[in-house]
Amino acid sequence: MTHTIEPGNPEAPSTPPDTLPNGQPAVAAGLVPAALKRRIPKYSDLAPLMQFKKPEFSRAARLRRASTIWDLRDLAKRRTPQAPFDYTDGAAEAEITLRRARQAFLDIEFRPGILRDVSKVDLGTEILGKPSRLPVGIAPTGFTRMMQSEGEYAGSRAAAEAGIPYTLSTMGTASIEDVAAAAPDGRNWFQLYLWTDRDRSLELIERAAQAGNDTLMVTVDTADAGARLRDVRNGMTIPPALTLKTILDASYRPAWWFNFLTHEPLTFASLSRYTGTVANLINSMFDPTLTFDDLDWLRETWKGKLVVKGIQTVEDARRVVDHGADGIILSNHGGRQLDRAPIPFHLLPDVTAVLDADHSDAAVILDTGIMSGADIIAALALGADFTLIGRAYLYGLMAGGQAGVARALQILETDMVRTMALLGVGRLSELTPDHVRLLTPR
């Protein structure tokens, strides 16, 4: 039988008084614990505390000290010349869209459940018919070897080791075949810009299929190139030009320039037959005449999974699914096209509601603004099946090559596991919109 001692019960142990009945201090009488008495410390007490670690300056040590994607961004900025760093970090015009996209993830409240068994947290999921160890993949990024010499090779290998998809951009600086060879066990996807010259597009589609890519991602939000003012102000060229400004910039970042100058020159490896300026290439690639008829042609041509990237309205989400898309990517191109564009995270609940009402099994994928694993969990709770990261992995790449990309993925995975556990959720399928509340009106 349990015996409860109520407050004031005479059987309860008493706290030693500060003074004795005769007024003598309790300390003097020896009633204060020895641990609370002041004394001169002995060397034997101090010695275990005086452990000075040897400074570590290796790349591995720097990456271990990075605890967040923002930490990797700081490392990347110190190690990368301004022009390629700003190409990655910047967005269009006043960069309002990018700031709003990141703020959208901050303006939420998680609603955790308690007393759940979360001793094991499983982040595994299925996307487009195949398993993925994490609910995140690497988005297509152009000119990637300009950011760091390992470029697409680092991204594809790190993704393969993490058990997630990697997407090669048409504007990539490694070929479809070379990426497949570099990560033969990875799940490789290819991103396509539909050209006016359909023969050139068809050639890339065939190469992607022959190299084992199971998913084609077509980007549709580039009727014209966005005004990326950081690039204009930096005078950014591909490859970077050795002007007086870049030479001065290089003096602070010798490792980047050494790697850049001692590796194969940058080329658009998927476009080996193209000879012309970057401006002419972009003008020929961003076709302003694209319509849903072109999507129908692509659906008939490509036999694998087809996803459409750049969806920014509910109606367009529904239409591309009606035209045969296996998945849609809610994306505003990382804020790099239309400034003040819709925020994918805000659009997500409405899109998933409509597709659910239509009984659609199309995958809903989200990118733009993701800088933590908590961001990813919030997106999944509001209905996303999967997420993509662009800048987040590029910061890791610039900070430390393939090891930096792997560190970025480790950071995100750790974030996701911790967030899930604190929400009281052990599996992704247990996440619901009830776990997230938007704090600001959309």
Side-chain angles (χ1 to χ4, degrees), residues 418-433:
R418 181 178 58 249
T419 303
M420 292 269 287
L422 293 175
L423 283 174
V425 173
R427 301 175 62 85
L428 297 178
S429 58
E430 297 172 11
L431 287 169
T432 72

Side-chain angles (χ1 to χ4, degrees), residues 72-201:
L72 291 177
R73 180 185 180 275
D74 291 340
L75 280 173
K77 189 171 185 179
R78 290 198 295 269
R79 299 180 60 82
T80 312
Q82 182 177 352
F85 177 82
D86 278 354
Y87 177 82
T88 301
D89 194 59
E93 301 181 42
E95 304 188 358
I96 295 170
T97 298
L98 178 57
R99 289 196 299 274
R100 287 178 177 173
R102 286 177 173 163
Q103 189 64 41
F105 286 107
L106 300 179
D107 291 338
I108 65 167
E109 176 184 87
F110 281 122
R111 303 174 70 86
I114 61 170
L115 300 177
R116 273 77 163 178
D117 181 359
V118 289
S119 55
K120 294 182 180 179
V121 174
D122 183 5
L123 295 174
T125 188
E126 183 177 289
I127 182 68
L128 297 172
K130 292 188 177 181
S132 179
R133 196 177 69 84
L134 304 174
V136 61
I138 290 183
T141 57
F143 315 132
T144 312
R145 284 200 303 119
M146 179 183 68
M147 290 66 157
Q148 204 270 357
S149 57
E150 297 177 45
E152 290 87 356
Y153 303 106
S156 59
R157 286 169 172 163
E161 289 180 359
I164 64 173
Y166 172 82
T167 313
L168 175 66
S169 170
T170 299
M171 304 290 282
T173 45
S175 71
I176 299 170
E177 294 79 10
D178 286 348
V179 167
D185 298 324
R187 187 179 184 187
N188 295 315
W189 297 355
F190 183 67
Q191 177 270 338
L192 177 73
Y193 291 109
L194 269 175
W195 293 24
T196 305
D197 184 346
R198 287 291 180 268
D199 289 339
R200 189 174 292 175
S201 295

Side-chain angles (χ1 to χ4, degrees), residues 45 57 61 86-87 89 95 104 214 244 258 270 275 281 290 307 309 312 331 334 336 343-345 351 402:
D45 296 328
F57 301 103
D86 278 354
Y87 177 82
D89 194 59
E95 304 188 358
D214 63 71
L244 177 60
F258 177 77
S270 294
T275 56
L281 174 63
L290 289 180
V307 296
K309 181 175 182 288
Q312 298 174 69
S331 170
R336 297 165 65 82
I343 304 306
F345 185 66
V351 168
Q402 181 177 338

Side-chain angles (χ1 to χ4, degrees), residues 346-360:
H346 287 166
L347 187 64
L348 178 59
D350 295 335
V351 168
T352 55
V354 166
L355 294 184
D356 287 346
D358 291 345
H359 304 289
S360 171

